[in-house]
Amino acid sequence: MIVKSASRKRPSRLAELLHGKVRRALLVSGLIVVALPAITLGSIYYGMLLHEQKVADSFATFFENAVQTKLELGPNFVRGQLANPERLTIDVKHEDFQKLAYKRDVAIETGVLLTSPDDYVPAKIRHRDKTYKIHLRLKGDWIDHLEGDKWSFRVKVRDNETLFGMNKLSLHHPRTRNFIHEWIFHEALQREGIVAPRYYFVDVVLNGKPLGIYALEEHFDKRLVENNRHREGPILKLSEDALWPDLALFGKGSAESPTGLQAEEIAPVEAFRLSKIKRDPMLTAEFRKAIALLDGFRSGAVSVRQAFDDDKLAAYLALCDVMGAKHAAIWFNLRFFYNPVTSRLEPVGFDGNAGGELEQLIGSNRSQANESVKFKDRCFSDPEFFGRYVAALERLSDERWLDSLLDEIDAGLTRNLGILYREFPYYHFSTRVYRDNQAKIRAVIDPTRAVHAYYTKHTVDSVTLELGNVQPLPVEILGLETVVGVPEWLPEPLVLASYVPSKLPSYEHVEFGIPGEAGWQAGLEDSLKVRYRILGTEASRSEEVFSWSRPDPAILEGDVTRREPNADTFPFLLVDDLAATILVKPGSWTVGRDLVIPGGYTVLAGPATELDIVNGATILSRSPLNLRGTKEAPIVFRSSDSTAQGVVVLEAERMSVLTHVRFLNLGSPEVDGWNVTGAVTFYESPLESVDCEFGMNRCEDALNVIRTSFDIDGAIFRDTHSDAFDSDFCSGTIRRSSFVRCGNDGIDISGSTVTVENVSVDGAGDKAVSAGESSRMTMSEIRISKANIGVASKDQCEVDGTDVVIRDTKIGLTAFRKKSEFGPASMKVRQLALHGVETPSLVETGSSVEVDGKALTENGADLKGLLY
């Protein structure tokens, strides 16, 4: 007999569902209970970390980071996982890595990283499918660059190769430059036309170990300059060679070290890549000129405007204020590019540690009477420069400026934040710091009170006041107001220097006429107001008067770019200030000394005018030229003694018009350190040329146009020593023109967009038509004969041609890469005819040439070695 056991009753489906929901609810509740405190504590810790690192300089920032980080952690994590940064894989041999590790240990012990050329070790770096040989060393002055496993590195790519178009670069923890804020600073610099290194975020693996996200920053060489669309020139800095060893001895922040070696004043000027400069006579000359400018400025012998592009320098310092990047204005972080065309120094943005809260303007409280030789004090001792700086502050502190910047960089900002979130999902980004900085700047340039004015004495028709500036920016005194009569304006505004902290205001006695016909009246002192404005701003304001009492800089000798205008000293020039014109009288005239024409005018000349430039003279004009000859009576610039050093139109801005003008037998300027290669040069000065001739000119370029637009119609270039026409970073058109017996290239463009129509080149020592450095050229009806190379497209250029005939030439068409920082080149030609051409085409592997829709065969790698 089988006895069945009593079975347990099975629970209902509804009970199972209820039980499952309760369990899930309890599980979720438990996770929340655990996660929320963890996230909260982590966020608070992160906020404290930011506060300690001066990233969050106020309780408001601290609170915002703590709260927002908690809210954004999840979405940031997802965005980071979806990001796809470029990866760099670095491999260092064990013994070489040990050398780096030992160097780090020494730095940790001393508190400062001291570097030397011997610190570099060989290594390899892999990016995508290519491996590069490199030299590697530790980088960074302070040991925050060496914390944990995430050390900062300086990388030099060997074998003249480039990585991301760079030969020398730095890798550092994003935190050392305040994460995304440094990238935004660089974007803002470039938007303002200020030279700045390229700055990316990449994923780094070292010897198989993932190190996470790094900031990659370009180092200082010609590629940095050329990427910013400038010609190569020296990059200077004030030497830090004495600073950091002394800091290691006496500690961080010991500004008054017993040796005195940490002082800015004793730091000499030096250049990056000095060994290369010494090998190149032109760069050596530019280096000498650049040092003379910077040291001359520091000594007070040269003004800001003479030494620097003062608009860019003013905008740079103002931008450091707005972006909270005061670190970039510390003397040992200052970098300057010598522009070989303008012969002036320009700031190079670097190491801003941007995103900090503004405490005080860089220009605040810097008196124009200050005799300090420190760089910023010397800058702000110049009232004209101070005005440009305040004007830049006024523009950059406008909320619309920041809105426009953020709109422009939105895509890149989103992409780079995603890359950062890949490792730092807790990172909170806010634009609030910029808006707060802008608000503070607006408050400074529109103060509640700026001037203290004291009544001193009066006569029947005048009153004397004592005026003192009581705030950090210079003030322009415009005039006097009373309750009677009309305002009495000063003939020229009087500038009162900035207030110097911890001192009583400095006062000046100023005598004003009494407005109105009645003259002084009893009690008038109670109604006086002084009218003024903050230097560099537009709006004026008035301040009530208290009713009780209370050297010429030298110019570098021989430097025409800094010489005072002297057009009024030439008898054949008629200067009309009212009409703002300078007329060249008809006739033949000799220019036996440098002629310097000021800006703000238009230079006029008509038929039958001839200027014979002798004795090594140069004509430099900052005003546009309006030269209109005729076919029968052209305007002629020539040099009977073959010593003329060119005609230069510099930063004229408005269009120059040349009609039937001949430039014959001219050279280019040969002033020490001033690098202008053209017999005729237009820099940032638009040009329209009709039926002009450039012949027998003894220089690198017969006509050189730089950073401008041009329209050339009916020109003749003949018998040139080297290139006939050179366009650098321009846009323009060449039509109905001929190039005859060119010593080197006929048409040479770099970084430009140019249309060439109905042009003939008969005789070219090198290339008849050459496009380089990311140029775009469209050409039609081109006739070429007797050239070494017919048409060349190189370095990431695109050439598109129609109806091209090439005769008696060695190489017809070629496309190749000359410079490693650029990509391959391309060319498309339709209706091509070749007659007597030895080699129809040379196409480098990776580049392309297409004729009538058919791609031509590649001829191998490294055509540069064959062609040069």
Side-chain angles (χ1 to χ4, degrees):
M1 178 179 175
I2 299 175
V3 180
K4 294 183 179 180
S5 62
S7 61
R8 187 175 299 173
K9 187 176 181 180
R10 181 178 182 84
S12 69
R13 177 62 176 163
L14 177 59
E16 288 182 343
L17 289 174
L18 288 173
H19 183 66
K21 288 183 178 181
V22 170
R23 284 170 46 184
R24 284 195 293 273
L26 290 173
L27 178 61
V28 171
S29 299
L31 288 174
I32 291 174
V33 168
V34 173
L36 279 178
I39 294 174
T40 300
L41 291 172
S43 302
I44 292 174
Y45 169 75
Y46 176 59
M48 293 171 64
L49 183 67
L50 293 176
H51 188 69
E52 180 182 355
Q53 296 168 352
K54 303 303 181 184
V55 175
D57 290 333
S58 69
F59 180 78
T61 306
F62 165 82
F63 182 78
E64 179 181 335
N65 278 289
V67 173
Q68 289 299 121
T69 298
K70 181 172 65 176
L71 297 175
E72 297 172 359
L73 184 60
N76 288 354
F77 178 82
V78 174
R79 287 177 62 184
Q81 298 309 303
L82 295 176
N84 187 28
E86 297 286 346
R87 171 168 289 182
L88 299 180
T89 302
I90 304 173
D91 292 307
V92 187
K93 291 182 178 179
H94 177 72
E95 58 269 26
D96 294 323
F97 184 81
Q98 291 302 111
K99 180 179 178 181
L100 297 177
Y102 174 75
K103 188 73 178 182
R104 173 186 178 263
D105 292 342
V106 173
I108 296 292
E109 183 176 345
T110 60
V112 174
L113 175 65
L114 302 178
T115 61
S116 72
D118 296 335
D119 294 341
Y120 282 99
V121 301
K124 293 182 179 180
I125 193 167
R126 186 167 67 255
H127 174 238
R128 296 186 179 178
D129 57 351
K130 184 170 182 178
T131 299
Y132 302 83
K133 294 180 180 179
I134 63 171
H135 287 125
L136 186 75
R137 70 163 172 83
L138 298 180
K139 169 259 181 188
D141 301 316
W142 303 115
I143 59 173
D144 60 331
H145 283 269
L146 305 174
E147 294 175 351
D149 295 330
K150 203 159 184 168
W151 309 343
S152 295
F153 299 102
R154 176 69 44 76
V155 176
K156 292 196 298 188
V157 185
R158 295 164 57 188
D159 302 329
N160 203 32
E161 290 276 6
T162 57
L163 180 61
F164 299 112
M166 310 172 203
N167 178 255
K168 196 172 183 180
L169 52 95
S170 298
L171 293 166
H172 50 255
H173 194 307
R175 184 188 63 228
T176 62
R177 297 279 180 84
N178 202 5
F179 294 94
I180 195 66
H181 291 284
E182 188 76 1
W183 178 83
I184 297 173
F185 177 53
H186 281 241
E187 293 295 304
L189 287 167
Q190 293 184 353
R191 189 172 185 260
E192 290 295 311
I194 296 169
V195 175
R198 285 169 276 191
Y199 200 87
Y200 307 134
F201 295 104
V202 296
D203 187 25
V204 174
V205 176
L206 176 62
N207 287 345
K209 180 177 182 178
L211 296 184
I213 301 301
Y214 270 69
L216 183 154
E217 182 180 51
E218 184 174 14
H219 201 54
F220 303 100
D221 68 1
K222 66 186 291 288
R223 295 171 179 85
L224 184 156
V225 172
E226 291 174 346
N227 185 62
N228 284 267
R229 299 175 65 80
H230 282 287
R231 286 186 177 180
E232 179 183 9
I235 299 178
L236 306 184
K237 70 171 184 174
L238 299 181
S239 175
E240 307 165 56
D241 291 346
L243 169 69
W244 297 106
D246 202 68
L247 275 168
L249 284 174
F250 298 104
K252 180 177 179 180
S254 52
E256 297 184 6
S257 134
T259 65
L261 292 178
Q262 297 180 33
E264 171 187 346
E265 294 87 339
I266 61 99
V269 180
E270 64 180 17
F272 292 91
R273 301 177 67 87
L274 188 57
S275 59
K276 177 187 177 183
I277 290 173
K278 290 180 177 179
R279 294 194 301 269
D280 187 322
M282 182 176 295
L283 286 175
T284 299
E286 293 170 358
F287 173 58
R288 290 200 304 268
K289 176 59 65 65
I291 287 181
L293 290 175
L294 187 50
D295 267 344
F297 168 72
R298 295 169 79 195
S299 70
V302 181
S303 71
V304 184
R305 191 170 183 80
Q306 290 170 336
F308 299 93
D309 184 318
D310 52 348
D311 283 323
K312 288 184 180 178
L313 182 58
Y316 176 69
L317 296 177
L319 193 62
C320 289
D321 286 325
V322 173
M323 306 303 292
K326 64 181 181 181
H327 199 253
I330 299 174
W331 70 266
F332 51 78
N333 285 331
L334 293 172
R335 304 291 184 265
F336 301 103
F337 156 61
Y338 174 75
N339 187 324
V341 178
T342 64
S343 188
R344 278 168 172 76
L345 299 170
E346 299 184 14
V348 179
F350 168 69
D351 197 359
N353 198 20
E357 292 193 10
L358 180 65
E359 297 173 353
Q360 186 181 53
L361 295 179
I362 291 172
S364 286
N365 303 114
R366 297 186 187 272
S367 169
Q368 286 75 72
N370 195 339
E371 296 182 358
S372 167
V373 299
K374 294 180 185 295
F375 178 80
K376 293 189 285 293
D377 288 335
R378 182 65 72 188
C379 284
F380 291 106
S381 68
D382 185 327
E384 182 180 358
F385 176 78
F386 217 137
R388 292 176 184 271
Y389 163 75
V390 176
L393 284 174
E394 190 171 39
R395 176 174 62 86
L396 298 177
S397 64
D398 190 319
E399 291 182 337
R400 292 171 296 182
W401 178 87
L402 180 59
D403 291 340
S404 176
L405 170 66
L406 295 174
D407 284 344
E408 287 186 19
I409 68 172
D410 181 65
L413 180 61
T414 301
R415 181 178 64 254
N416 283 298
L417 279 173
I419 294 174
L420 288 172
Y421 292 151
R422 188 176 181 89
E423 183 178 354
F424 312 104
Y426 52 80
Y427 175 66
H428 168 64
F429 168 70
S430 171
T431 63
R432 185 182 63 81
V433 65
Y434 304 137
R435 301 197 184 278
D436 287 350
N437 290 349
Q438 285 186 312
K440 292 175 183 176
I441 291 170
R442 292 194 297 270
V444 174
I445 62 179
D446 186 21
T448 57
R449 190 178 187 97
V451 174
H452 283 174
Y454 290 87
Y455 161 78
T456 300
K457 63 181 181 179
H458 72 270
T459 65
V460 174
D461 56 2
S462 70
V463 60
T464 300
L465 305 180
E466 279 190 293
L467 304 176
N469 189 354
V470 296
Q471 50 81 58
L473 302 179
V475 167
E476 283 185 309
I477 304 299
L478 305 176
L480 183 71
E481 296 178 351
T482 70
V483 294
V484 296
V486 294
E488 175 70 18
W489 301 112
L490 292 174
E492 292 290 336
L494 169 68
V495 177
L496 299 181
S498 303
Y499 167 68
V500 178
S502 303
K503 294 184 179 181
L504 293 173
S506 177
Y507 289 92
E508 294 193 32
H509 287 76
V510 183
E511 183 177 335
F512 296 90
I514 300 301
E517 298 178 358
W520 183 264
Q521 301 175 32
L524 196 56
E525 65 271 21
D526 295 324
S527 66
L528 297 177
K529 290 184 178 181
V530 64
R531 197 76 183 173
Y532 70 93
R533 65 184 169 208
I534 301 298
L535 183 66
T537 62
E538 293 295 330
S540 64
R541 50 197 294 163
S542 62
E543 206 77 75
E544 291 184 357
V545 176
F546 299 134
S547 59
W548 57 90
S549 297
R550 197 316 313 141
D552 195 10
I555 299 174
L556 295 177
E557 292 184 6
D559 192 339
V560 66
T561 66
R562 261 161 289 279
R563 192 166 296 163
E564 291 297 320
N566 61 357
D568 57 352
T569 67
F570 286 79
F572 57 85
L573 298 179
L574 297 178
V575 180
D576 187 336
D577 291 329
L578 286 177
T581 60
I582 298 176
L583 174 65
V584 186
K585 297 178 184 178
S588 296
W589 312 102
T590 299
V591 181
R593 54 193 172 92
D594 291 340
L595 168 57
V596 181
I597 298 171
Y601 291 79
T602 299
V603 180
L604 306 175
T609 301
E610 180 176 310
L611 296 181
D612 185 11
I613 309 172
V614 297
N615 297 333
T618 296
I619 297 178
L620 171 65
S621 177
R622 297 186 183 276
S623 293
L625 310 180
N626 192 340
L627 312 180
R628 299 180 183 269
T630 64
K631 183 177 182 180
E632 297 74 19
I635 297 170
V636 179
F637 291 77
R638 66 184 184 90
S639 181
S640 60
D641 67 353
S642 300
T643 65
Q645 294 193 24
V647 176
V648 181
V649 181
L650 195 62
E651 298 171 323
E653 295 183 353
R654 291 181 288 119
M655 180 74 72
S656 289
V657 179
L658 311 181
T659 304
H660 290 292
V661 183
R662 305 178 71 195
F663 298 92
L664 307 176
N665 195 31
L666 305 180
S668 57
E670 297 180 358
V671 180
D672 186 23
W674 184 35
N675 177 24
V676 180
T677 58
V680 181
T681 301
F682 285 80
Y683 178 84
E684 293 185 355
S685 304
L687 170 64
E688 179 182 310
S689 167
V690 180
D691 296 330
C692 292
E693 179 181 351
F694 303 83
M696 302 179 294
N697 291 302
R698 303 162 284 97
C699 51
E700 186 175 330
D701 307 311
L703 173 61
N704 189 194
V705 291
I706 310 169
R707 292 169 62 90
T708 191
S709 60
F710 63 86
D711 188 355
I712 297 174
D713 188 4
I716 298 175
F717 293 82
R718 63 179 179 83
D719 302 302
T720 57
H721 174 73
S722 187
D723 293 350
F725 174 79
D726 195 338
S727 166
D728 298 310
F729 316 117
C730 296
S731 60
T733 301
I734 305 174
R735 299 188 302 274
R736 301 188 310 111
S737 297
S738 60
F739 299 76
V740 182
R741 297 182 295 278
C742 305
N744 200 54
D745 296 342
I747 298 174
D748 183 13
I749 71 170
S750 300
S752 298
T753 301
V754 176
T755 299
V756 182
E757 301 174 350
N758 191 10
V759 164
S760 66
V761 182
D762 184 7
D766 192 7
K767 300 174 284 292
V769 179
S770 175
E773 299 178 18
S774 295
S775 292
R776 302 292 179 267
M777 177 183 284
T778 303
M779 58 183 188
S780 60
E781 298 181 67
I782 308 299
R783 303 295 180 261
I784 297 170
S785 61
K786 303 173 188 174
N788 184 50
I789 297 173
V791 182
S793 177
K794 57 185 187 293
D795 295 335
Q796 213 168 321
C797 287
E798 297 177 5
V799 175
D800 189 284
T802 303
D803 188 7
V804 179
V805 178
I806 304 176
R807 299 177 181 274
D808 305 324
T809 293
K810 289 184 179 180
I811 302 170
L813 308 176
T814 184
F816 61 99
R817 185 174 73 160
K818 181 180 177 182
K819 298 182 178 181
S820 62
E821 60 266 35
F822 292 96
S826 65
M827 185 188 308
K828 294 182 179 180
V829 181
R830 294 164 296 282
Q831 303 174 36
L832 172 69
L834 303 178
H835 306 283
V837 176
E838 296 179 13
T839 303
S841 64
L842 282 177
V843 184
E844 188 175 73
T845 302
S847 294
S848 65
V849 176
E850 187 179 290
V851 176
D852 292 326
K854 181 179 179 181
L856 302 187
T857 303
E858 295 178 351
N859 300 97
D862 192 23
L863 290 189
K864 170 187 172 182
L866 176 65
L867 295 171
Y868 290 86

